[in-house]
Structure formats: C-alpha cells, structure tokens
Amino acid sequence: MSDRSDFTSEKYPELDSGPRILLGPGPSMVHPRVLRAMAAPLVGHLDPYFLKIMDRTQDLLRHVFQTKNQLTIPISGTGSAAMEAAVANFIEPGDSVLVCINGYFGHRLTDMAQRYGGEVVTINRSWGEVFTPEEVKEALVAHKAKVVAIVHAETSTGAKQPLGEIAEVVHDQGGILIVDAVTSLGGVPVRVDEIGIDVCYSGTQKCLSVPPGLGPITVSPRAEEILSKRKTTVPNWYLDLSMVQKYWGTERTYHHTAPISSNYALYEGLRLIAQEGLENRWERHRRNAQLLWEGLEELGLSLHVPKEFRLEPLTTVRVPDGVDDIKISMQLLKDFNIEIAGGLGELKGKVWRIGLMGYSSRAENVLLLLTALERVLGKQ
Ligand SMILES: *Cc1c(COP(=O)(O)O)cnc(C)c1O
C-alpha cells in the first residue's frame, strides 16, 4: 500500500505547460472568453438554463454551417466521433459506398465505412491533389453508390476540395453526400444548404477554436428520411442520431449526460464567430494565410499545394533537402514556444504542416513564426 506522502507535489506537480503558440494541425488556440466559459459553474444537463443554451447553440451552429437543417447537434466526442456518427447512421451493412481518398482522413473514412459493413469502393489522388466532379461521376456510373464521402479540408495535405458540382453529381446518381468539414468549418466557407451537402460534420478544435471534445454534425431532410427508413438499428448506441436527437430536440429525453463545460465552451466560441461575422472570419483566415505563404516563399521555401487548391487554415511547406524536419519543429517549440507539425503518411518527412485556425490565425503569430523559422533554419 502506498502512503499519501508518496504522492508529493515534487513527483506530481501542478499542471504548468507554459504558454504555447499553437500553429499545428489542431488543437488551435482558444480565446480567453472560451476558457472563462469552461470555468463557469455547472448546472444539470436537464436544467432549464442548460436547455436554453442547447437551443441557442443549435441556432448558432446552423448559422456557421449555413443551413436550416433541424437535425444539427454537437456530438459528444472529438471530430472523429462526428465522423463515426456520419458513417454509423448512414451506412448499413451491404450499402455501396464511394470514398474519395487524397489524404489521411479519406483512409480513416474508408476504415470506418468498412467496419460498419459498407461495400466500399475508393477513388484515389495523390496527397495534395483534389478531385474533379467528372472523376466522381465516372466512379458513380461505374459503381452506383448510396453514399459518397469526401473530405473538404484535408488537414494531412493542405488541399481544399471544391465541392460545388460534386453534390449535384452525387444527387443525380441517386446518392447522398457526406462531407468532412473538420478543418474548414469556421475558417473557410462551408455553405451546407447552398452546396447541397446531406451530412456535414466538424470538430471544435480546429477553426472553431474551442478545445477538443465536441463534433458538430448537421443532417439534411433528405438524409433524415434515409435515417428513418433504416432496415437495421444503428449498431453504435452512443452515436445513434435518432436517440441523441431525442435529447437535443423537443422531447428532452436523457441519453447520456451532456459534457456541460464543453458545451459552454462551444457556445462561447460560436458567439465569438457570430460577433466577428462569418464573412470577416473567412477573410481573416484568407489574409493571414496569404501573409504566411508570401513569407515562406521569401524564405526560399516552396509550398506543396498549388495556390488554386490551397487550404487557408492549413499550409503544407516542403522540407528542404538535407534538413531534419523533426529537429526544426522541436527547436521551434523549445526556443519559441511554437508548435507546428510534420507530415503524415505519403508526406512524412517531406513537409511541415502549419495551421492558422480560428484564434491562432493572427498576423502577429505569422510574423513570429516566420522570424523564428528563419533563425532556426539558419542554424541548421
Ligand atoms: C482533425 C480531423 C479529424 C478528426 O478530428 P479529431 O478531433 O482529431 O477526432 C477528422 N477529419 C479531418 C479532416 C481532421 O482534420
């Protein structure tokens, strides 16, 4: 048996990470108002006050998603939980599914779709490229699919997938479109209704700039109908949207205890977005990305994705020959408290990933990073 005196605060000190400038692929930095909201006293998950906050959060989420969809809720869990909710609810065993893979998260979607019994066909592009509507159409003509899944903002590659005509192609072929907007929502336009996305999900920790923990999802009336006509029950109890909706909708039936503080944080984060204005926020992300791109090129570095398809919240920059990518990012962390990330999968060792998401997307962060990078690269 160990004694109380074994657990000294020398051995187990108080949390103290020091300040960090988070310019990686997530989590992004959090506005002080959001941190304060998380420290607010708890109320019960069926307290009339909390029910009001839930309604307001849903209104604000609809605004950010640019949708009128009734079924719009934050899933309890990170972006991957929202991804799994999309897959678990809309893919039944034996359903044909098309997944467009041009990065890490396309692979994750494929893995999940297969686990839920989907008959998955994929189309593939190298990491950093995007799909054309014609490619999606060709694939659907060759292999009819009930569900098509695509990533809007590939955080592993820094490419932004144009969605415009893809929803139309999918609908013409009788399918529904699932879009991963984890790194785009709140940073670049995600116009769910205008584009015609059927199921769109995100996460709080990227451009919404709220700590990881919730995964907003929105479902079109067409997709809701598919949900109501499922032949089998959703095999994932926790993420069954019709059950979760009974708590978030008018019935207010207990399903699981809502993470109160995380929901407070999301509410405050969404209020900040509404106050800034969506258009202004997109413009801020664009402006700061532009500043970063120009600065990186001035340092003699080259960007991995052609400008046309570059994702403002996440930039991939090539590691110059002979430079140790990990050593540079560790040095940035040690000397400047700046976090950036290395490449994943096909891009491992080849790029750094620099995030300018939400509250992290500020000119002072860009200028500090550029200066720090110049110094650290100079030393190598
Ligand atoms: C981060 C991310 C996810 C997963 O979100 P988590 O919060 O890490 O679970 C899914 N898709 C994309 C495109 C992401 O960037």
Side-chain angles (χ1 to χ4, degrees), residues 250-322:
T250 47
E251 293 179 45
R252 304 297 189 186
T253 316
Y254 164 69
H255 177 255
H256 64 273
T257 309
I260 306 292
S261 306
S262 298
N263 277 285
Y264 279 174
L266 175 59
Y267 177 65
E268 191 59 24
L270 293 171
R271 263 168 37 85
L272 279 161
I273 294 177
Q275 285 167 4
E276 179 177 8
L278 263 184
E279 303 270 350
N280 293 338
R281 193 174 176 95
W282 297 331
E283 172 55 23
R284 171 164 63 81
H285 281 78
R286 204 199 53 72
R287 199 172 55 237
N288 291 325
Q290 186 66 36
L291 187 65
L292 174 69
W293 298 340
E294 280 166 14
L296 290 169
E297 281 173 341
E298 271 166 30
L299 290 179
L301 297 167
S302 61
L303 302 175
H304 179 64
V305 178
K307 187 143 193 217
E308 194 186 353
F309 303 115
R310 228 176 260 162
L311 178 62
E312 291 85 353
L314 193 287
T315 297
T316 41
V317 52
R318 296 209 178 105
V319 179
D321 286 339

Side-chain angles (χ1 to χ4, degrees), residues 157-170:
T157 71
K160 181 171 63 180
Q161 172 65 51
L163 294 172
E165 295 149 54
I166 287 183
E168 225 178 285
V169 165
V170 172

